Amino acid sequence: MGKTTDLTAYECDRCGRKDFLQASDLQVRDWYDVTRVTTGSTTAPYVLCGTCWTVYQSLLKQQTGEFEKFLEEGKTV
């Protein structure tokens, strides 16, 4: 077996999936860096695999809808 150098380890913060990839590997496209803002206005970085990224996108749509509703409700006060 040969030696492979310049690998990056990826681990999904949601499901724990792991990959060891080189920058030139096509699978790198299946990993996403996410930055979230907590209720205390602190930012936190996360890494998500493609499967969890898809679920996260659904969560974002839901949260966006709730935030827009929050803004509209404030205009009626």
Side-chain angles (χ1 to χ4, degrees), residues 1 3 13 18 20 25-28 32 37-41 47 49 51 55 59-61 63 65-66 69 77:
M1 172 159 60
K3 178 170 83 172
D13 286 313
K18 296 178 185 179
F20 295 91
D25 289 337
L26 291 178
Q27 296 93 329
V28 169
Y32 299 87
V37 179
T38 67
T39 55
S41 297
V47 175
C49 68
T51 301
V55 176
L59 175 64
L60 285 179
K61 287 179 185 176
Q63 290 175 344
E66 291 175 5
K69 181 180 175 186
V77 174

Side-chain angles (χ1 to χ4, degrees), residues 10-19 29-34 36 46-61 63:
Y10 293 85
E11 183 173 352
C12 181
D13 286 313
R14 182 171 183 256
C15 72
R17 176 180 152 197
K18 296 178 185 179
D19 274 335
R29 297 180 194 171
D30 197 36
W31 290 93
Y32 299 87
D33 294 315
V34 173
R36 295 284 298 178
Y46 297 95
V47 175
L48 297 176
C49 68
T51 301
C52 291
W53 170 258
T54 300
V55 176
Y56 178 64
Q57 291 302 299
S58 296
L59 175 64
L60 285 179
K61 287 179 185 176
Q63 290 175 344

Side-chain angles (χ1 to χ4, degrees), residues 59-76:
L59 175 64
L60 285 179
K61 287 179 185 176
Q62 175 188 346
Q63 290 175 344
T64 297
E66 291 175 5
F67 183 72
E68 289 172 357
K69 181 180 175 186
F70 164 78
L71 289 177
E72 286 301 315
E73 289 173 349
K75 292 178 182 175
T76 61

